[in-house]
């Protein structure tokens, strides 16, 4: 590497989502994220959405009509049996991801499953085993991973531009009014901040700092029983740590910064859709920056779909950008986060929404 090259952020190799080969998609579970994912695919890719599947026939018919989707199915079983569907996108609550993914794979379909990949590590490993046994693709829809600026950040770390990464600080925290109809407040539907927000942070840490070998958490539990506020420290066993905040009790700016022995990477907020990635030297002098023109989630979801389409068309069953085995490992980390948090409940004053 030349001296000049060490001061520049590497260009990402992520291709335009519109250039990805087209697959035929079926959408399972027609809630809020499926609306956004469908809009992103329809407006920003050549992917074909050929079927929608809901537990309720009228809901499916309405979704299909609004999005110009040719077929509407009144059950998930009917959707996965549709011979025209290549890949099923699963937008159901986390507690159902395993059963929905198994249903799809047993019908011979590839799977893109919303985060969190599964409700627990046992289910996550079973999903990976099913994919490998059947030779079918499965991937967690961890959308920030697939964005060009995030891949540039990863290339910068791999090229040693910041030396050994030592500290990642990142937060994902928004105040949520108590709403019993929101799955976030439901232990049964896999709610809580670990699986809704901590998952993004644990995945970012896994990408930039490496797999978590140590986990330490202090946290607060909501009256509904879900985890509501988590201060998380993940160690990589080589002196690197991530300090992460996931919360539904406080608001935070969605900052992220990765500091290493030779410099830092700073993600302008919100880090998951960062408008600017900056490379700084060890004194804090700006060396380079990269602007991103993605402004809305709906501009971003098309990248994960394009990645799935490229890998499947090339005959792969796991994406190198978000390997299914890494999703299972992150599921283990989430379980450890929750068990460390539970050990801290007893000494914490429970917080309540008034
Ligand atoms: N990538 C992201 O940015 C993002 C953002 C938000 C959420 N998510 C993830 O996406 C998943 C869904 O979240 P969402 O916000 O879209 O939830 P949502 O609006 O509640 O939609 C979930 C859908 O799942 C289906 N479902 C099946 N069984 C259900 C049950 N027992 N209770 C409730 N719904 C059931 C329903 O569809 P039918 O009635 O049509 O069957 C429902 O509309 C979660 O895993 C969440 O973590 C991802």
């Amino acid at each position: 590497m030349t001296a000049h090259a060490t001061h520049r952020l590497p260009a990402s190799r992520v291709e335009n989502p519109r250039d990805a080969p087209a697959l035929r998609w079926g959408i399972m579970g027609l809630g809020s994220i499926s609306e956004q994912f469908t809009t992103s695919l329809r407006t920003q890719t050549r992917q074909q959405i050929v079927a929608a599947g809901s537990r309720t026939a009228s809901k499916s018919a309405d979704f299909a009509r609004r999005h110009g989707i040719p077929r509407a199915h009144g059950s998930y079983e009917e959707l996965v049996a549709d011979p025209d569907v290549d890949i099923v996108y699963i937008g159901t609550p986390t507690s159902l991801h395993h059963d929905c993914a198994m249903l799809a794979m047993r019908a011979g379909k590839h799977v893109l499953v919303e985060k969190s990949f599964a409700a627990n590590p046992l289910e996550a490993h079973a999903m990976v085993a099913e994919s490998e046994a059947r030779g079918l693709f499965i991937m967690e829809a961890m959308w920030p991973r697939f964005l060009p600026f995030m891949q540039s950040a990863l290339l910068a770390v791999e090229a040693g531009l910041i030396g050994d990464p030592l500290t990642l600080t990142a937060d994902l925290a928004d105040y949520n009014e108590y709403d019993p109809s929101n799955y976030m407040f439901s232990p049964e539907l896999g709610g809580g901040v670990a699986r809704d927000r901590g998952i993004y942070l644990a995945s970012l840490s896994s990408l930039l700092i490496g797999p978590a070998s140590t986990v330490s958490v202090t946290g607060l539990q909501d009256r509904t029983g879900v985890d509501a506020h988590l201060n998380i420290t993940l160690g990589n066993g080589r002196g690197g740590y991530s300090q992460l905040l996931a919360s539904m009790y406080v608001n935070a700016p969605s900052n992220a910064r990765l500091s290493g022995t030779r410099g830092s990477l700073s993600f302008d907020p919100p880090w998951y859709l960062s408008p600017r990635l900056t490379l700084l030297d060890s004194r804090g002098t700006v060396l380079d920056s990269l602007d991103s023109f993605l402004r809305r989630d709906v501009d971003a979801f098309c990248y994960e779909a394009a990645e799935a389409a490229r890998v499947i068309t090339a005959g792969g069953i796991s994406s190198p950008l978000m390997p299914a085995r890494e999703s299972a490992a992150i599921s283990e980390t989430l379980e450890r986060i929750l068990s460390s948090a539970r050990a801290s409940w007893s000494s914490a004053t429970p917080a309540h929404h008034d």
Side-chain angles (χ1 to χ4, degrees):
M1 186 185 305
T2 65
H4 177 70
T6 59
H7 295 93
R8 306 287 303 177
L9 282 164
S12 116
R13 299 187 198 113
V14 175
E15 291 167 29
N16 188 330
R18 282 190 203 281
D19 296 337
L23 295 183
R24 299 169 304 171
W25 294 73
I27 310 292
M28 178 185 286
L30 308 178
S32 113
I33 194 64
S34 291
E35 288 281 351
Q36 295 181 60
F37 179 80
T38 299
T39 303
S40 191
L41 257 61
R42 287 187 56 234
T43 55
Q44 325 239 11
T45 73
R46 294 189 292 132
Q47 304 303 311
Q48 298 169 22
I49 304 182
V50 297
S54 168
R55 296 164 302 167
T56 313
S58 57
K59 187 175 170 188
S60 184
D62 175 61
F63 188 95
R65 183 186 47 73
R66 285 187 292 105
H67 290 288
I69 299 171
R71 273 189 308 290
H73 298 293
S75 74
Y76 299 162
E77 287 75 11
E78 274 177 44
L79 174 74
V80 302
D82 188 326
D84 284 344
V85 170
D86 301 316
I87 177 166
V88 174
Y89 166 81
I90 296 173
T92 57
T94 299
S95 61
L96 302 176
H97 288 177
H98 167 270
D99 290 2
C100 293
M102 289 301 202
L103 185 72
M105 288 190 281
R106 286 172 186 153
K109 308 300 186 193
H110 302 291
V111 167
L112 175 63
V113 57
E114 258 312 325
K115 59 81 194 171
S116 293
F117 190 65
N120 58 57
L122 209 64
E123 291 186 354
H125 287 299
M127 288 154 68
V128 176
E130 191 75 14
S131 144
E132 292 177 355
R134 291 183 182 270
L136 290 167
F137 175 90
I138 190 164
M139 187 174 83
E140 183 180 21
M142 181 45 67
W143 56 272
R145 282 241 180 170
F146 308 98
L147 303 182
F149 76 83
M150 192 60 82
Q151 287 303 314
S152 287
L154 181 60
L155 289 175
V157 172
E158 289 173 347
L161 298 199
I162 61 162
D164 286 338
L166 289 184
T167 305
L168 170 69
T169 51
D171 60 74
L172 198 49
D174 249 325
Y175 178 77
N176 280 101
E177 284 298 339
Y178 175 63
D179 172 6
S181 71
N182 183 342
Y183 69 87
M184 281 287 292
F185 290 92
S186 162
E188 294 75 31
L189 292 179
V193 285
R195 294 213 164 75
D196 193 70
R197 292 166 199 178
I199 178 67
Y200 288 110
L201 298 166
S203 190
L204 184 71
S205 176
S206 176
L207 183 73
L208 299 178
I209 285 270
S213 63
T214 57
V215 176
S216 164
V217 182
T218 53
L220 296 173
Q221 186 181 33
D222 191 72
R223 62 182 169 189
T224 58
V226 300
D227 48 295
H229 181 86
L230 302 172
N231 285 293
I232 304 164
T233 305
L234 304 179
N236 67 6
R238 301 185 309 280
Y241 288 88
S242 295
Q243 305 285 353
L244 312 168
L245 168 69
S247 181
M248 58 192 213
Y249 280 174
V250 301
N251 219 269
S254 299
N255 280 327
R257 187 174 175 116
L258 177 68
S259 300
T261 48
R262 290 178 52 199
S264 303
L265 286 172
S266 173
F267 298 77
D268 276 14
W271 62 262
Y272 45 84
L273 206 57
S274 184
R276 175 169 290 181
L277 173 69
T278 305
L279 173 67
L280 305 101
D281 69 12
S282 43
R283 291 191 170 84
T285 307
V286 172
L287 299 177
D288 194 17
S289 64
L290 195 79
D291 288 343
S292 163
F293 299 97
L294 302 170
R295 291 288 178 269
R296 304 167 306 158
D297 294 0
V298 81
D299 297 329
F301 297 144
C302 50
Y303 284 89
E304 62 195 13
E307 171 67 4
R310 285 194 192 96
V311 174
I312 291 169
T313 306
I317 63 165
S318 182
S319 160
L321 303 187
M322 182 71 263
R325 287 184 179 205
E326 187 182 346
S327 290
I330 294 168
S331 184
E332 306 248 14
T333 302
L334 278 191
E335 201 63 17
R336 291 172 69 195
I337 287 172
L338 283 166
S339 97
S340 176
R342 279 183 207 111
S344 79
W345 292 161
S346 54
S347 58
T349 307
H352 292 283
H353 290 266
D354 297 323

